[in-house]
Amino acid sequence: MKFRPCIDIHNGKVKQIVGGSLSDYKDQAKENFVSEQNAAFYGKLYCDHQLSGGHIILLNKEGSQYYEQDLEQAALALKSFPDGLQIGGGVNDNNAKRFLSLGATHVIVTSYVFRDGRIYYENLKKLIDIVGKEHLVLDLSCRKKDGDYYIVTDRWQRFTEVKITKELIIQLTEYCDEFLIHAVDVEGKSNGIELELISILGTIEGFPITYAGGISSFADLKELKRLGNNRLDVTIGSSLDLFGGNMKFQDVIKFMSNC
């Protein structure tokens, strides 16, 4: 289990928001934390601690008022941690190469592939042709409905008909290098992890999966390690002291070094 740090950028600032609260209307979101530091600060910090494989997420829609400011911040972070960070947020066939040229190791994709309730394999194959499977992360962020977890898109507001199962994940390993999975119902709330989802993810062997959502304590990390069979990497957002939380960054690094 490795610690995969994050840099979420909204309205040109590094933030932590409540999952599912993001809206394109007036670029609104329920905020947990707004940093006084720019994205380069976090990129350098992660670089200094050799925490590769973290992700930058652009939370404003391409073409919206703040998108270019988000992109400027992302570029600063990527420059401060060369070949150390992934990037996601509105990635498609037109901009994927641009993100890699800025220094991202991978692009993270959701809505371009999962849309209209289904998986667009034609779009997935198009991205592979453009950037290569080795540079592609599939974001399988999901919410619970009728007892199962379904992939959600469009600011995590729209349910697809694609259910998270072991079989689906194994099938999709043919098309990407890693998975990033936010448990949206608990994302940004710092009140505990999605145990059932982690149990599903923990059945996958030999393929990188990063879980994000609800981490609030070291007890949660221990449970994640147990239920995930020590196979899952983890992102911690709002609970981290870097973003106003109670879990100290240095203590997290120490905990992870013993995993």
Side-chain angles (χ1 to χ4, degrees):
M1 188 164 74
K2 295 194 304 182
F3 176 41
R4 303 284 199 108
C6 63
I7 304 173
D8 293 347
I9 304 172
H10 180 246
N11 293 0
K13 296 182 180 296
V14 177
K15 293 183 182 181
Q16 284 291 309
I17 69 168
V18 175
S21 72
L22 189 63
S23 173
D24 290 334
Y25 177 71
K26 295 185 177 180
D27 299 301
Q28 294 176 332
K30 185 176 180 181
E31 298 169 345
N32 284 327
F33 177 83
V34 181
S35 179
E36 296 180 359
Q37 304 286 350
N38 67 9
F41 168 84
Y42 294 96
K44 184 178 185 304
L45 180 67
Y46 302 156
C47 183
D48 289 345
H49 288 84
Q50 300 179 23
L51 297 172
S52 60
H55 56 270
I56 302 167
I57 300 295
L58 308 176
L59 294 173
N60 292 98
K61 187 176 181 178
E62 187 173 10
S64 63
Q65 179 182 355
Y66 294 98
Y67 181 78
E68 290 302 320
Q69 293 180 41
D70 288 2
L71 198 57
E72 288 172 9
Q73 287 295 313
L76 290 174
L78 291 168
K79 187 176 180 180
S80 66
F81 194 174
D83 300 318
L85 294 165
Q86 306 168 355
I87 192 166
V91 172
N92 55 47
D93 59 328
N94 293 318
N95 60 24
K97 262 194 171 180
R98 179 187 183 189
F99 289 129
L100 294 183
S101 70
L102 288 173
T105 61
H106 296 70
V107 290
I108 304 166
V109 184
T110 310
S111 296
Y112 182 68
V113 170
F114 303 98
R115 51 191 298 194
D116 301 330
R118 67 180 182 88
I119 304 174
Y120 274 67
Y121 284 99
E122 57 269 41
N123 286 355
L124 186 50
K125 292 174 182 176
K126 190 182 296 185
L127 280 174
I128 291 173
D129 289 340
I130 292 170
V131 302
K133 175 181 181 288
E134 69 275 15
H135 296 296
L136 188 59
V137 176
L138 286 181
D139 184 339
L140 308 185
S141 294
C142 56
R143 305 180 78 165
K144 199 170 189 179
K145 182 175 70 172
D146 300 328
D148 292 306
Y149 293 94
Y150 289 85
I151 294 172
V152 288
T153 64
D154 302 298
R155 305 295 183 267
W156 295 340
Q157 303 294 323
R158 181 174 298 179
F159 278 89
T160 68
E161 297 173 6
V162 184
K163 187 190 304 184
I164 296 289
T165 63
K166 179 179 180 179
E167 292 73 22
L168 172 75
I169 294 172
I170 291 173
Q171 176 185 337
L172 291 175
T173 59
E174 298 179 20
Y175 299 94
C176 65
D177 196 48
E178 305 184 7
F179 296 111
L180 172 63
I181 303 179
H182 291 84
V184 176
D185 290 328
V186 296
E187 171 69 18
K189 297 179 181 179
S190 298
N191 62 0
I193 56 181
E194 284 278 13
L195 304 180
E196 293 178 48
L197 175 61
I198 291 166
S199 296
I200 295 171
L201 304 180
T203 63
I204 308 300
E205 296 185 65
F207 200 86
I209 299 175
T210 299
Y211 169 86
I215 298 288
S216 61
S217 66
F218 288 95
D220 282 337
L221 288 180
K222 291 176 183 177
E223 190 69 351
L224 175 65
K225 180 179 179 181
R226 184 184 70 83
L227 285 176
N229 294 309
N230 203 24
R231 294 170 179 163
L232 306 179
D233 294 340
V234 62
T235 292
I236 305 171
S238 297
S239 293
L240 205 62
D241 63 348
L242 297 178
F243 305 118
N246 296 318
M247 297 178 71
K248 293 182 179 179
F249 177 68
Q250 295 291 347
D251 290 345
V252 170
I253 293 174
K254 184 178 180 181
F255 177 92
M256 292 296 177
S257 69
N258 296 319
C259 287

